């Protein structure tokens, strides 16, 4: 089995750009990734596109103006996990020898949708009754706070940390410092979550990766993918503990086994912090600490830059925003740059192994519809 390597990365600014299109943003990210890999678009044999809210055939719409040679284009919609799922499929094809050089990209342009939370399918009865994502995570937060004696200030501190990280990331156009008091005093969304504890919902962005089993032509050291796991949610037919991120824990166990590493080997993580409570729950699901100890892990400083295992050094979704099709690919870009020592002011010292985790929700009756986890190393 051939060993695929990530040989080039590209990413656009994440922000609100109504004057742009998702096609133009994806084209920019793709060209940057090709340049980073030292390749031309004619060297790419297949393209994998993650996209959630665009029109039909998003990959082909992007590639037609780049004069791609007509190779295979695979369009992947797996909710917010779409870009990471596209990477998983690309890796399978490379390992099987179907291709030797491919490109994975993800994009979404939410400015064109207007404002408010992400639209969900109205055939799901919980969505009809208002169980949209902020409401669901607010319920999880209330339960977790009650079960583990966690204060609202702890949730706010997740946002404080990630906003500090985001200020060091030049693509994070929404990143602004905020104190704990400012976060708690921001507009209520769904108790106990306030506006600054929710990732910006109207965000545009794109990211791209070149993967190959051939020797790299780029200047940066190629990055290995030690594990790539995609899992789907299990339909819940009985009451469950909503503070247990079951799908993430299940995917993490498979990823650690596949990579031959454990949580203690990780140098950094990029996780799906759509809401502040999410990051706390994922500390536990990913094995960074025991159940109920997430607040203590945060308060120790271990998950901040300079700590033992920084989480979301990019600023995460809270500081960057969340164009769903791009998020999973953007997480991979961040970890690659960290491992290669190219992360600038937010560089994690001695970064050796990084993990990315992204979920996709929006279906009643499951924890999440999808979860993708990748573990990377030089």
């Amino acid at each position: 089995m051939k060993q695929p390597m990530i040989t080039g990365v590209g990413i656009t600014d994440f922000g609100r750009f109504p004057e742009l299109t998702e096609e133009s943003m994806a084209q920019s990210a793709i060209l940057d990734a090709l340049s980073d890999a030292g390749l031309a678009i004619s060297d790419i044999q297949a393209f994998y596109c993650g996209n959630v809210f665009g029109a039909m055939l998003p990959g082909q719409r992007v590639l037609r103006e780049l004069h791609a040679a007509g190779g295979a284009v695979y369009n992947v919609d797996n909710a917010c996990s779409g870009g990471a799922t596209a990477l998983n499929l690309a890796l399978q094809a490379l390992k099987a020898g179907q291709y030797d050089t491919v490109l994975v990209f993800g994009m979404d342009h939410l400015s064109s949708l207007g404002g408010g939370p992400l639209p969900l399918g109205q055939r799901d009865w919980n969505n009809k009754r208002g169980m949209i994502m902020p409401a669901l995570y607010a319920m999880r937060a209330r339960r977790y706070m009650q079960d583990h004696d966690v204060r609202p200030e702890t949730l706010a501190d997740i946002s404080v940390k990630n906003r500090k990280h985001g200020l060091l990331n030049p693509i994070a156009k929404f990143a602004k410092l905020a104190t704990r008091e400012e976060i708690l005093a921001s507009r209520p969304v769904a108790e106990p979550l306030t506006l600054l504890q929710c990732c910006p919902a109207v965000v545009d962005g794109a990211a791209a990766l070149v993967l190959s089993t051939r020797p790299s032509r780029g200047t940066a050291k190629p990055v290995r993918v030690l594990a790539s796991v995609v899992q789907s949610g299990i339909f819940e037919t009985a009451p469950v503990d909503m503070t247990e991120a079951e799908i993430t824990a299940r995917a993490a166990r498979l990823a650690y086994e596949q990579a031959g590493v454990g949580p203690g080997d990780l140098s950094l993580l990029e996780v799906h912090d759509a809401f502040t409570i999410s990051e706390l729950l994922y500390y536990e699901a990913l094995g960074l600490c025991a159940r109920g100890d997430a607040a203590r892990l945060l308060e120790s400083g271990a998950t901040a830059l300079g700590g033992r295992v920084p989480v979301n050094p990019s600023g995460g979704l809270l500081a960057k925003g969340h164009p769903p099709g791009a998020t999973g690919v953007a997480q991979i870009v961040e970890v690659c740059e960290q491992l290669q020592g190219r992360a600038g002011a937010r560089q994690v010292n001695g970064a050796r192994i990084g993990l990315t985790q992204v979920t996709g929700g929006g279906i009643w009756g499951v924890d999440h519809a999808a979860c993708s986890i990748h573990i990377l190393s030089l």
Side-chain angles (χ1 to χ4, degrees), residues 1-363:
M1 185 178 291
K2 297 184 178 180
Q3 176 64 54
M5 306 288 280
I6 299 173
T7 60
V9 302
I11 193 166
T12 67
D13 288 345
F14 276 35
R16 191 174 298 178
F17 307 108
E19 72 280 7
L20 301 176
T21 65
E22 67 179 7
E23 292 89 353
S24 65
M25 299 189 80
Q27 289 159 3
S28 177
I30 287 170
L31 292 174
D32 284 349
L34 289 169
S35 176
D36 196 38
L39 298 177
I41 199 163
S42 57
D43 296 312
I44 305 299
Q45 297 166 305
F47 300 86
Y48 295 78
C49 171
N51 183 246
V52 180
F53 292 107
M56 185 183 295
L57 301 172
Q60 285 88 339
R61 288 189 288 104
V62 168
L63 294 167
R64 63 185 175 186
E65 294 173 7
L66 294 180
H67 307 294
V73 178
Y74 302 91
N75 293 304
V76 181
D77 176 3
N78 214 9
C80 308
S81 196
T85 303
L87 173 57
N88 177 272
L89 295 174
L91 288 164
Q92 292 183 47
L94 289 166
K95 290 177 180 179
Q98 183 177 2
Y99 309 114
D100 57 44
T101 305
V102 303
L103 192 142
V104 176
F105 63 102
M107 79 283 190
D108 261 303
H109 191 269
L110 300 186
S111 289
S112 58
L113 299 181
L118 297 179
L120 301 175
Q122 288 305 298
R123 287 196 297 171
D124 285 324
W125 68 281
N126 263 7
N127 293 338
K128 285 184 179 180
R129 298 190 305 165
M131 184 58 77
I132 58 176
M133 289 298 169
L136 173 61
Y137 279 93
M139 290 175 65
R140 286 178 166 163
R142 289 287 298 271
R143 185 75 214 191
Y144 189 88
M145 293 166 67
Q146 176 178 312
D147 287 352
H148 302 293
D149 194 26
V150 172
R151 301 171 301 153
E153 288 81 2
T154 299
L155 296 181
D157 287 344
I158 291 282
S159 187
V160 171
K161 171 182 74 72
N162 291 354
R163 288 169 181 278
K164 285 181 180 178
H165 292 176
L167 279 180
L168 305 175
N169 188 349
I171 74 151
K173 297 307 180 185
F174 280 128
K176 294 181 180 178
L177 276 182
T179 65
R180 172 195 283 178
E181 292 72 24
E182 289 170 334
I183 289 164
L184 291 173
S186 62
R187 176 169 61 82
V189 173
E191 189 181 357
L193 300 177
T194 60
L195 183 66
L196 297 184
Q197 296 183 62
C198 309
C199 70
V202 184
V203 183
D204 314 317
L209 311 166
V210 174
L211 295 100
S212 184
T213 55
R214 292 186 172 186
S216 175
R217 299 182 199 171
T219 57
K221 193 169 182 179
V223 173
R224 293 185 296 152
V225 182
L226 302 182
S228 178
V229 171
V230 176
Q231 291 286 283
S232 294
I234 299 171
F235 187 75
E236 297 161 351
T237 57
V240 297
D241 182 351
M242 68 188 328
T243 68
E244 181 180 5
E246 186 277 334
I247 188 174
T248 291
R250 173 161 38 97
R253 287 192 296 270
L254 294 171
Y256 290 138
E257 180 179 355
Q258 192 178 117
V261 303
D265 298 309
L266 301 177
S267 305
L268 70 145
L269 299 89
E270 285 285 315
V271 307
H272 191 108
D273 61 324
F275 304 91
T276 49
I277 183 60
S278 311
E279 186 168 315
L280 284 184
L281 299 183
Y282 295 145
Y283 289 172
E284 299 175 7
L286 293 167
L288 301 184
C289 64
R291 286 294 303 276
D293 284 346
R296 284 183 283 276
L297 183 68
L298 173 69
E299 291 162 2
S300 75
T303 60
L305 278 169
R308 174 174 58 82
V309 56
V311 176
N312 288 326
S314 71
L317 281 62
L318 287 167
K320 295 202 313 286
H322 179 32
T327 289
V329 183
Q331 291 178 327
I332 299 289
V333 171
E334 175 67 20
V335 170
C336 285
E337 292 184 338
Q338 290 283 354
L339 296 175
Q340 294 164 335
R342 299 196 291 173
R346 66 189 187 283
Q347 180 66 49
V348 175
N349 291 330
R352 293 179 51 254
I353 299 176
L355 178 148
T356 69
Q357 173 264 357
V358 56
T359 60
I363 296 178

